[in-house]
């Protein structure tokens, strides 16, 4: 009876927390089937915690605390990024203690983190000691219970992902629709269901379109630069960037680039450009494309380039382990990796290697490499968060961003000047808008800026062509494959290869 009362308390309390959270936004689903699935999510959380303690009230409190934390964090994420928590966010948690400066958080050694965390652990330990266990007294029965309950949870997860219950779950979560599903079924149930649906989906594999080589000459030098948090600063009320005028008057193609996220999730845009794949084609893996194939994409730009005889180089002045970049990029097809350890002694602007140092390294790689060569680079200087203390004498987040983005502009101008006189193509694009107080979700319809420059025999008259990230990726695939592609002036379309 105690177990049932504790469980009921956990369900009612968790429902109250989510109902409070939904009071000023989309109301929670009230249909019996929707409420049942929502309560099932709470129940699974309670049983999960019960497996660790076999103390019903501790498990009920742990469920309530978990739901509260999920709701608070999800609300903060919604305000900054524009979407609720999703299962793939938990895969990124291991990066937080390794790279706390990349997040709006503090290291675990900070007293403001260590004291609350230590106090919470002490309270849980005290509760564990005070509340009697619900395990049967008979040792053999207790052992069966200790093993059996977790096995039941694993079996249920298996049935929902690949077993008899999988069609039932798929009918309720046929495709990703985070906001609607969180409102209808609750955040915990949605997180669990999305994780199970992602596990049940076949790996997203694309062999790519057939390539017709030789219809036009591929560029001997192709440089693609993903610019961290880059948009035209005038969209934020900042001063005009000389680079934007260069783009408008010099770039063969330029315009707004629709990207799959706002304020974060670089890997979504990166994957779309490197593969030419629409986010919708990834199913529930769209939230972190590297969780599924991890860069094993037969039709990626790098693999197309290798097949066409290119040397392939990836340049990124940051840790190899972040996003598992080193492993992922090798699987994408990049043979040479130039990462943070290769920038020893390079100037840092704030906490990260400056963009101008990156531009100089790109030109050095182009000069040293055999042709044809594909260089894909990812900048780091303007990575958030923009917090006080980042730059001497500049504490305002927008002022910090504008300071860094002016360096990005100069770096790209240096790159453009350095490629003049070669037969080359340069593509630069922003991965997402910055997560600034003046640039909240919905800003610019998740669009950044992009430009494609042609040099030498590849120079062309400038024109504006707005595009999506995956469309830009398909165009770049055609560039390294040597296909003849005539792009419409209104939007970048799919190439014929």
């Amino acid at each position: 009876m105690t177990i049932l009362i504790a469980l009921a308390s956990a369900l009612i309390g968790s429902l109250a927390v989510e109902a409070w959270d939904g009071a000023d936004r989309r109301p929670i689903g009230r249909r019996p089937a929707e409420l049942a699935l929502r309560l099932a999510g709470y129940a699974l959380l309670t049983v999960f915690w019960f497996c660790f303690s076999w103390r019903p009230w501790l498990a009920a409190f742990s469920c309530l605390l978990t739901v509260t934390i999920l709701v608070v964090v999800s609300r903060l994420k919604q305000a900054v990024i524009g979407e609720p928590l999703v299962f793939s966010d938990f895969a990124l948690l291991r990066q937080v203690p390794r790279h706390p400066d990349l997040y709006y958080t503090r290291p675990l050694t900070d007293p403001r983190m260590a004291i609350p965390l230590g106090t919470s652990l002490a309270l849980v330990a005290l509760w564990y000691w005070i509340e009697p266990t619900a395990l049967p007294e008979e040792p053999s029965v207790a052992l069966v219970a200790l093993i059996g309950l977790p096995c039941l949870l694993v079996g249920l997860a298996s049935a929902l992902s690949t077993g008899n219950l999988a069609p039932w779950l798929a009918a309720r979560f046929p495709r990703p629709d985070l906001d609607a599903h969180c409102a209808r079924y609750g955040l915990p149930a949605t997180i669990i269901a999305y994780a199970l649906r992602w596990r049940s989906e076949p790996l997203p594999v694309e062999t790519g379109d057939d390539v017709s080589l030789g219809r036009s000459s591929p560029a001997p030098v192709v440089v693609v630069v993903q610019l961290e948090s880059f948009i035209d600063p005038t969209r934020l009320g900042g001063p005009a960037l000389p680079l934007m005028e260069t783009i408008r008057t010099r770039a063969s193609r330029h315009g707004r680039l629709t990207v799959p996220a706002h304020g974060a999730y670089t890997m979504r845009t990166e994957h779309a450009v490197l593969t030419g794949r629409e986010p919708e084609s990834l199913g529930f893996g769209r939230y972190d494309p590297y969780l599924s194939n991890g860069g094993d994409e037969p039709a990626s730009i790098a693999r197309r380039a290798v097949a066409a005889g290119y040397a392939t180089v990836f340049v990124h002045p940051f840790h190899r382990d972040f996003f598992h970049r080193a492993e992922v990029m090798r699987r994408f097809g990049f043979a040479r990796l130039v990462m943070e350890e290769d920038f020893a002694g390079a100037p840092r602007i704030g906490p990260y290697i400056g963009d101008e140092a990156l531009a100089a390294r790109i030109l050095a790689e182009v000069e040293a490499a055999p042709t044809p060569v594909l260089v894909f680079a990812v900048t780091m200087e303007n990575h958030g968060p923009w917090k006080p203390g980042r730059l001497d004498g500049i504490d305002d987040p927008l002022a910090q961003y504008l300071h860094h983005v002016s360096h990005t502009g100069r770096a790209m101008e240096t790159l453009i000047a350095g490629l003049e006189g070669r037969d080359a193509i340069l593509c630069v694009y922003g991965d997402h808008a910055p997560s600034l107080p003046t640039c909240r979700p919905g800003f610019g319809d998740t669009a950044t800026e992009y430009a494609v420059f042609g040099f030498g025999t590849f120079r062309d008259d400038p024109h504006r062509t707005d595009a999506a990230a995956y469309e830009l990726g398909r165009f770049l695939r055609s560039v390294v494959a040597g296909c003849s592609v005539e792009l419409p002036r209104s939007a970048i379309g799919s190439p014929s290869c």
Side-chain angles (χ1 to χ4, degrees):
M1 180 60 69
T2 302
I3 293 177
L4 292 178
I5 294 174
L7 177 61
S9 300
L11 301 187
I12 293 170
S14 300
L15 181 61
V17 169
E18 287 215 281
W20 163 80
D21 181 58
D24 60 347
R25 52 185 67 204
R26 187 181 296 193
I28 67 172
R30 294 189 174 91
R31 295 177 181 176
E34 294 172 350
L35 282 173
L37 193 50
R38 181 185 294 267
L39 294 175
Y42 306 150
L44 285 173
L45 270 179
T46 306
V47 174
F48 172 80
W49 289 120
F50 187 68
C51 288
F52 290 96
S53 67
W54 284 85
R55 285 154 174 79
W57 286 108
L58 179 56
F61 172 76
S62 299
C63 170
L64 184 59
L65 182 61
T66 301
V67 172
T68 302
I69 292 173
L70 290 177
V71 164
V72 170
V73 174
S74 185
R75 174 175 280 233
L76 291 172
K77 181 189 171 190
Q78 185 92 44
V80 176
I81 307 300
E83 71 178 33
L85 271 179
V86 69
F87 73 96
S88 59
D89 291 327
F90 295 90
L92 300 176
L93 283 178
R94 62 181 179 271
Q95 302 285 3
V96 177
R98 293 179 184 177
H99 310 288
D101 291 341
L102 288 176
Y103 301 92
Y104 286 96
T105 186
R106 298 182 177 91
L108 295 178
T109 54
D110 189 309
R112 290 168 291 185
M113 290 289 288
I115 292 175
L117 183 61
T119 302
S120 301
L121 292 175
L123 287 174
V124 169
L126 180 62
W127 194 327
Y128 188 92
W129 180 68
I130 293 174
E131 184 181 358
T133 180
L135 272 173
E137 294 184 2
E138 173 62 37
S140 60
V141 178
L143 181 62
V144 170
L146 283 170
I147 298 174
L149 188 57
C151 287
L152 283 175
L153 284 180
V154 172
L156 178 60
S158 178
L160 286 168
S161 59
T162 58
N164 296 332
L165 295 177
W168 176 86
L169 187 68
R172 282 145 189 83
F173 299 89
R175 64 189 60 85
D177 190 352
L178 260 181
D179 287 316
H181 287 148
C182 285
R184 191 176 303 157
Y185 303 119
L187 184 60
T190 300
I191 289 173
I192 295 169
Y194 273 42
L196 294 173
R197 288 286 288 122
W198 168 71
R199 288 184 61 86
S200 67
E201 285 184 330
L203 289 176
V205 175
E206 182 186 17
T207 58
D209 304 317
D210 292 333
V211 179
S212 299
L213 297 174
R215 286 163 46 185
S216 67
S217 300
V221 175
V222 178
V223 177
V224 183
V225 187
Q226 181 172 275
L227 305 176
E228 175 62 43
S229 302
F230 180 78
I231 60 173
D232 183 348
T234 60
R235 295 169 63 189
L236 297 173
L241 196 66
L243 173 65
M244 297 309 302
E245 181 62 23
T246 301
I247 287 174
R248 284 187 285 270
T249 59
R250 172 69 177 78
S252 301
R253 298 170 183 87
H254 66 89
R256 294 284 170 85
L257 187 72
T258 302
V259 295
H262 172 89
Y265 297 112
T266 294
M267 81 289 280
R268 297 182 187 175
T269 304
E270 188 172 279
H271 183 272
V273 171
L274 282 172
T275 65
R277 299 194 59 175
E278 300 179 56
E280 290 75 15
S281 71
L282 303 175
F284 288 86
R286 66 183 299 178
Y287 299 105
D288 187 345
Y290 294 164
L291 278 182
S292 299
N293 278 15
D296 188 12
E297 302 277 357
S300 72
I301 294 173
R303 291 202 185 183
R304 289 286 181 92
V306 170
Y310 280 75
T312 52
V313 184
F314 174 71
V315 185
H316 180 47
F318 199 60
H319 296 285
R320 287 174 168 265
D321 69 333
F322 193 67
F323 287 162
H324 298 290
R325 271 254 175 68
E327 177 185 349
V328 168
M329 290 302 159
R330 286 205 183 279
R331 296 184 72 184
F332 265 128
F334 290 98
R336 173 168 163 74
L337 305 182
V338 180
M339 306 198 75
E340 187 176 44
E341 62 273 16
D342 299 299
F343 284 84
R348 292 178 180 266
I349 312 297
Y352 310 118
I353 301 295
D355 287 350
E356 293 182 86
L358 175 67
R361 185 57 185 256
I362 292 171
L363 290 173
E365 291 294 326
V366 169
E367 187 67 34
T371 55
V373 60
L374 166 68
V375 178
F376 181 80
V378 178
T379 71
M380 194 66 196
E381 178 183 337
N382 212 3
H383 198 292
W386 299 271
K387 298 186 292 188
R390 176 180 177 130
L391 294 172
D392 292 339
I394 307 176
D395 284 343
D396 177 69
L398 178 58
Q400 290 181 350
Y401 174 82
L402 295 174
H403 180 81
H404 289 302
V405 86
S406 67
H407 297 165
T408 303
R410 289 205 299 267
M412 294 307 101
E413 295 271 14
T414 298
L415 203 52
I416 292 167
L419 292 175
E420 289 286 3
R422 293 179 176 271
D423 285 340
I425 288 178
L426 167 66
C427 173
V428 299
Y429 67 92
D431 58 350
H432 52 70
S435 54
L436 292 166
T438 52
C439 187
R440 287 309 190 193
F443 176 90
D445 195 25
T446 65
T448 62
E449 327 290 337
Y450 90 96
V452 177
F453 296 87
F455 302 90
T457 59
F458 294 91
R459 187 158 186 163
D460 198 2
D461 294 333
H463 66 268
R464 176 165 177 163
T465 303
D466 294 343
Y470 74 90
E471 293 172 320
L472 179 60
R474 292 178 182 178
F475 166 67
L476 292 172
R477 285 196 320 192
S478 73
V479 168
V480 298
C483 298
S484 179
V485 182
E486 183 64 33
L487 301 182
R489 299 270 167 164
S490 58
I492 287 184
S494 302
S496 59
C497 63

